[in-house]
Amino acid sequence: MSLIFNVLPFVFLFSSYYNVWVEKTRCAWAETADLKMVAYHDTEYGVRREGLNECFEVVCLEAFQAGLSWRTILHKREAFREVFFGFEPARVAAMTDDDVLRLCEAD
C-alpha cells in the first residue's frame, strides 16, 4: 500500500506532460485536411528507406515532382507504381521505347 502512495505523486506530476509526449508535431505543410499528406508525413517523411525498390521509388517520385506539388505526386503514386512495375529497377530498365511512348500517350 505504501508503494502506491510513494508512486502516486509522480503519476500526477508526469500526467500533465503526457500529452506532450504522445502528440505528434507536424511540419506546417502537413497541417492539412488532405489525409494522404498527413499519413505520408506521419509514416514516411524522414523515415530511412532500406529496400532497393523503396529507394528507387523515392528517387523517381522526386524527379516527377519537379515543377509539381508533392501533393500531386502523392495522389498519383499508385498510378506510378502500376506503370513502373512497383518501381522494380530491373523491370523499368527493361522498358522499351514503345513502352515509354505508350505511357506518354496515356491519360
Side-chain angles (χ1 to χ4, degrees), residues 26-73:
R26 290 192 180 105
C27 300
W29 59 264
E31 292 297 336
T32 176
D34 185 339
L35 297 180
K36 283 191 179 195
M37 290 290 281
V38 173
Y40 172 78
H41 180 276
D42 291 353
T43 61
E44 295 182 63
Y45 182 71
V47 175
R48 183 180 176 146
R49 304 301 201 278
E50 297 291 334
L52 178 62
N53 291 13
E54 288 180 319
C55 292
F56 186 61
E57 178 179 2
V58 171
V59 169
C60 289
L61 293 177
E62 289 287 343
F64 290 126
Q65 193 260 336
L68 301 172
S69 71
W70 185 247
R71 181 186 178 282
T72 300
I73 297 302

